[in-house]
Amino acid sequence: MTTFSTSTPSILLQNLKMNSSEQPGPWLNSSTLLPMKSSSLGVSCFTMTFGAISNLTALGILAKSRVRFRRPSKSPFLLLTVALLLADLAGHVIPGAFALYLHMDQINQMKAVKPTKVFCQIFGASMVFFGLCPLLLGFAMAVERCVAITRPFFHAAMVTLGHVWRVVLLLSSLAFVLAVLPLFEVGTYTTQFPGTWCFLPIHGPKSTADTNLVLAFSCLGLTALTFSLLCNILSGLALLQARKKSHNVNTKSAARYTRRASSTSSTFSRSLNVEMMVQLAVITVVSCVCWSPFLIHILVKQFKQRTSTQEKDGFILLGLRMASWNQILDPWVYILLRKAVLIRVCCAKVTENRSSADSHRQAFMLQ
């Protein structure tokens, strides 16, 4: 998903030709609308371009570092990471292109041109699909790492690339089925305030199918975030416990000499586990911060009965913008939280501290 503008062209509502087969957005009941700002189109273009470049950069870095993930125990995580970045990339380009089309159409015609039913249905389906996919894939990554760290032998025997491919297809199919249900007259998609995006009906009177679809979308997303947090906590505790045991073993002089041959391999594996866990933990935190306001807000709205259909919900637009930034921040987690980058930062910090200590020592000696 990409960032959407906050204004629409000024025109009397009666001049709009409504499609009687599509449920209008509640905000369209107002008499006049604000003029479109051309700067909002530039912001949307920049957001979509920056998000696409960020995900392509992260995919390129992963392609170069695939040698480090050749181990069978690490390959599933790499596959899930690639799937997540591809979903983020497509989630910027495809819905972003639909949103830019509405922006440019409104600017060129200088009036609020309501999108056709087919266009809104496809736009809304892409919003739902590319909104759910990153959350479900992030949940799969958290479960995979939790099993790999807490049950390594079971992970090595049962979790293969073939199984991970099936999980990716299953989760993608789940998001796809939920997204295309309105295309088969199970629910509908409507234009949302301020007229630059389409989604499931959130405000005003709606059918039972619409309410159930919104609840399913929100509950699936929140469930994925919750279980991702729980799995990351378990994985972090397991890594800390393993590090403590390893430290106790290495303090014994006998183990220091007899296990020297295997220490290098285990240290590399442990450092790679820590690197992946740091990346996954930050991704989960970013996803929770970006997606929780939007998901919780639309969930609460389903239990608040409103008789008025006029509602310009600025908070839901803010939540949508925050959710769109999740797909921009995900690739930067992999770009910045790589082992090579962290080592450079640590070395630079150590060098800075040493130079500062030397300068203080020299100043003290001159006194």
Side-chain angles (χ1 to χ4, degrees):
M1 294 187 293
T2 189
T3 307
F4 305 91
S5 69
T6 59
S7 54
T8 50
S10 175
I11 187 172
L12 293 176
L13 182 63
Q14 52 265 35
N15 291 335
L16 288 174
K17 295 181 179 181
M18 296 289 185
N19 187 338
S20 60
S21 62
E22 180 184 359
Q23 182 182 352
W27 59 275
L28 285 172
N29 290 331
S30 54
S31 58
T32 59
L33 302 171
L34 298 175
M36 170 73 74
K37 295 180 181 179
S38 59
S39 60
S40 62
L41 177 62
V43 172
S44 297
C45 290
F46 170 78
T47 304
M48 187 178 71
T49 304
F50 181 64
I53 293 175
S54 300
N55 282 280
L56 287 173
T57 303
L59 286 170
I61 292 174
L62 277 177
K64 290 183 178 180
S65 62
R66 66 183 183 277
V67 177
R68 299 173 58 232
F69 292 87
R70 279 183 177 176
R71 288 187 168 195
S73 60
K74 314 302 177 187
S75 298
F77 184 82
L78 176 62
L79 176 57
L80 291 171
T81 302
V82 172
L84 175 64
L85 293 176
L86 288 175
D88 287 339
L89 176 62
H92 264 288
V93 175
I94 297 177
F98 289 140
L100 289 179
Y101 174 81
L102 291 181
H103 279 268
M104 297 178 67
D105 200 33
Q106 291 180 359
I107 290 177
N108 292 334
Q109 300 191 28
M110 293 303 297
K111 62 180 181 178
V113 180
K114 185 176 178 61
T116 63
K117 180 180 180 180
V118 174
F119 181 88
C120 196
Q121 295 285 79
I122 297 175
F123 190 2
S126 68
M127 292 285 291
V128 171
F129 177 75
F130 292 113
L132 275 180
C133 271
L135 298 178
L136 296 177
L137 291 173
F139 163 66
M141 293 169 66
V143 173
E144 189 274 336
R145 279 297 89 197
C146 184
V147 174
I149 293 173
T150 58
R151 296 291 185 269
F153 295 107
F154 175 82
H155 181 274
M158 299 300 296
V159 181
T160 63
L161 284 178
H163 292 154
V164 176
W165 270 113
R166 294 187 187 95
V167 169
V168 172
L169 291 177
L170 176 63
L171 296 178
S172 301
S173 300
L174 177 61
F176 181 78
V177 169
L178 185 63
V180 300
L181 281 177
L183 275 63
F184 296 95
E185 304 301 329
V186 182
T188 185
Y189 290 110
T190 60
T191 308
Q192 303 292 326
F193 174 78
T196 53
W197 61 295
C198 297
F199 197 69
L200 297 166
I202 300 173
H203 306 100
K206 60 182 75 67
S207 65
T208 303
D210 291 331
T211 302
N212 291 336
L213 285 176
V214 176
L215 289 176
F217 178 87
S218 179
C219 291
L220 270 177
L222 290 173
T223 301
L225 291 176
T226 302
F227 278 97
S228 296
L229 279 174
L230 293 176
C231 290
N232 287 334
I233 292 174
L234 292 176
S235 301
L237 293 176
L239 281 177
L240 289 176
Q241 186 178 8
R243 184 178 180 85
K244 184 178 179 180
K245 290 182 179 179
S246 177
H247 178 73
N248 293 336
V249 170
N250 290 334
T251 53
K252 299 179 181 180
S253 59
R256 185 179 305 162
Y257 292 102
T258 58
R259 302 186 182 181
R260 181 178 298 176
S262 61
S263 60
T264 303
S265 176
S266 61
T267 301
F268 174 79
S269 178
R270 189 161 50 249
S271 64
L272 193 57
N273 276 332
V274 172
E275 178 186 357
M276 290 187 291
M277 273 308 305
V278 169
Q279 293 173 345
L280 184 56
V282 174
I283 280 182
T284 304
V285 172
V286 169
S287 297
C288 290
V289 172
C290 292
W291 272 103
S292 292
F294 182 78
L295 295 174
I296 293 175
H297 187 65
I298 65 176
L299 178 64
V300 172
K301 284 292 181 181
Q302 305 313 302
F303 299 99
K304 288 186 177 181
Q305 300 295 332
R306 292 181 179 271
T307 57
S308 174
T309 59
Q310 297 186 15
E311 185 157 0
K312 296 181 179 180
D313 196 342
F315 184 83
I316 200 169
L317 192 62
L318 175 62
L320 180 67
R321 289 201 188 102
M322 292 177 63
S324 68
W325 272 95
N326 177 58
Q327 296 166 324
I328 298 177
L329 296 176
D330 276 350
W332 284 101
V333 172
Y334 295 99
I335 294 172
L336 298 178
L337 295 183
R338 291 178 294 131
K339 184 179 180 180
V341 176
L342 294 177
I343 289 176
R344 289 178 185 176
V345 172
C346 293
C347 290
K349 188 66 177 177
V350 170
T351 304
E352 181 182 355
N353 292 338
R354 287 180 178 176
S355 61
S356 177
D358 292 340
S359 62
H360 284 301
R361 190 182 300 108
Q362 291 176 0
F364 178 76
M365 292 175 64
L366 292 175
Q367 290 179 355

